[in-house]
Amino acid sequence: EPDLTAPEAYAAAGEGRLRLIDIRTPQEWRQTGVAPGAGRVDFYRGPDVLLGSVLQMVGGDRNAPIALICRTGNRTTTAQKFLQAQGFTRVYNVREGMAGSAAGPGWLKRSLPVESCAQC
């Protein structure tokens, strides 16, 4: 399963090479903001909502490159395996997440940009 660092995901999303999808909760989105242009779907709403939302974000293309980000990489690891089992072929995991983990310092500590999400 391919992993990306937060800076790699930021650069790739900014260049249009993949769609970044934040699978944290609305409360987390409001607390920290969201990566610019990232799609949002709450992982805890369940697999059907996750699958439907991601399919909608990529126009039904299971070969479209996507990168998943959560707080520390736990939810994204589960979601990555789930989406791969549903036929998605290019699912990247930003394992360090927004808050950082053993995989790296995280999006926020790296001072990568976020957009306020007060209405999330």
Side-chain angles (χ1 to χ4, degrees):
E1 285 101 29
D3 293 341
L4 293 174
T5 65
E8 287 168 343
Y10 172 64
E15 293 163 9
R17 290 187 281 122
L18 57 74
R19 181 73 196 263
L20 185 62
I21 302 173
D22 189 323
I23 63 169
R24 297 175 301 154
T25 64
Q27 180 183 7
E28 290 172 297
W29 299 329
R30 288 191 296 270
Q31 281 173 347
T32 65
V34 177
R40 300 187 310 271
V41 56
D42 181 352
F43 174 80
Y44 294 121
R45 290 187 61 199
D48 291 346
V49 172
L50 179 67
L51 178 61
S53 296
V54 172
L55 279 169
Q56 193 172 19
M57 289 178 209
V58 296
D61 181 4
R62 290 173 198 248
N63 297 313
I66 58 174
L68 304 174
I69 192 164
C70 65
R71 194 173 72 85
T72 59
N74 290 328
R75 281 169 276 182
T76 50
T77 299
T78 302
Q80 179 185 42
K81 290 180 178 139
F82 168 72
L83 291 171
Q84 288 169 333
Q86 303 303 313
F88 284 81
T89 60
R90 300 169 73 194
V91 186
Y92 299 93
N93 186 352
V94 186
R95 287 183 69 104
E96 63 188 281
M98 294 296 283
S101 70
W107 191 280
L108 300 169
K109 284 197 187 81
R110 290 182 184 271
S111 299
L112 293 167
V114 291
E115 293 174 343
S116 172
C117 205
Q119 301 306 312
C120 287

